[in-house]
Amino acid sequence: MSNESQNQVEEVVTSDVAADEASLMDELTQANFRIEELEQRLAESETALAERKDVEMRAAAETQNIRTRAAKDVEQARKFALEKFVNELLPVIDNMERALQGTNPEDEATKSIYEGVELTMKGFLTSVEKFGVTQVNPLGQPFNPEHHQAIGMQPSAEYPANTVMMVMQKGYLLNGRILRPAMVMVSQGGESVDVEA
């Protein structure tokens, strides 16, 4: 083979190799672009998935909060559904107490009335206690502004300062919540003082 032929063969081989290399480079470049495109899509998909998970977790938390609030509201409604009804019964209890104060258990003429009203009132109070109503009778206890309404203060040698010395009207609670505060007179403590006119 002559040099010329050999050069031609080498040129053909070199051009084929160069063409193959160029083709391979094009394929590699396209593959790299495709990889970058797929990586970008994967990153977008992962971001979207993370956002979706966040939305789902927030929705689940909100649903749980709604359930908890609804259960609490139902419990509150159940506990305090009787509030209006009990408020209507309180004057009846007050009137029974007045009837007891207006009769004398020692007097034969009023003894049976006193006993009947007393039994009725005890039964009535027992019945309302079954539904969570409790009486607040703070005589001799420290003054509590959450459960007592002070009508006034008076000096008293018998009771220490800030102690309930007289109950004008008993208070009532429904399942621990105040229905009506007890109306009370509070001691200032010390000696009784005569007021000069």
Side-chain angles (χ1 to χ4, degrees), residues 50-103:
E51 289 174 1
R52 185 68 187 155
K53 281 184 179 179
D54 185 54
V55 167
E56 287 178 8
M57 286 175 51
R58 289 176 188 270
E62 183 64 25
T63 301
Q64 183 60 37
N65 288 343
I66 290 170
R67 285 183 183 150
T68 303
R69 263 182 290 184
K72 186 178 178 181
D73 289 346
V74 167
E75 179 64 21
Q76 291 292 320
R78 187 189 64 73
K79 278 178 97 173
F80 301 110
L82 295 175
E83 186 171 358
K84 288 182 182 179
F85 179 68
V86 172
N87 276 324
E88 294 296 321
L89 294 178
L90 296 183
V92 175
I93 296 171
D94 293 339
N95 288 335
M96 285 187 203
E97 287 179 348
R98 285 186 203 100
L100 288 175
Q101 291 170 355
T103 56

Side-chain angles (χ1 to χ4, degrees), residues 134-154:
T134 53
Q135 195 175 60
V136 178
N137 187 7
L139 184 63
Q141 297 176 3
F143 176 72
N144 177 356
E146 292 178 10
H147 292 172
H148 310 150
Q149 180 179 354
I151 302 301
M153 293 185 78
Q154 289 183 350

Side-chain angles (χ1 to χ4, degrees), residues 154-161 163 165 186-193:
Q154 289 183 350
S156 172
E158 186 180 343
Y159 293 97
T163 302
M165 59 184 277
V186 181
S187 169
Q188 289 178 334
E191 297 292 323
S192 292
V193 179

Side-chain angles (χ1 to χ4, degrees), residues 101-155:
Q101 291 170 355
T103 56
N104 185 356
E106 304 300 322
D107 184 11
E108 288 299 321
T110 59
K111 184 176 183 178
S112 61
I113 294 173
Y114 182 89
E115 290 173 354
V117 171
E118 184 180 40
L119 286 173
T120 303
M121 191 172 113
K122 284 181 182 178
F124 194 69
L125 288 174
T126 302
S127 296
V128 295
E129 283 175 2
K130 291 178 184 176
F131 294 97
V133 177
T134 53
Q135 195 175 60
V136 178
N137 187 7
L139 184 63
Q141 297 176 3
F143 176 72
N144 177 356
E146 292 178 10
H147 292 172
H148 310 150
Q149 180 179 354
I151 302 301
M153 293 185 78
Q154 289 183 350

Side-chain angles (χ1 to χ4, degrees), residues 176-190:
R177 184 164 82 182
I178 193 82
L179 284 174
R180 181 178 80 188
M183 293 181 6
V184 299
M185 184 67 69
V186 181
S187 169
Q188 289 178 334

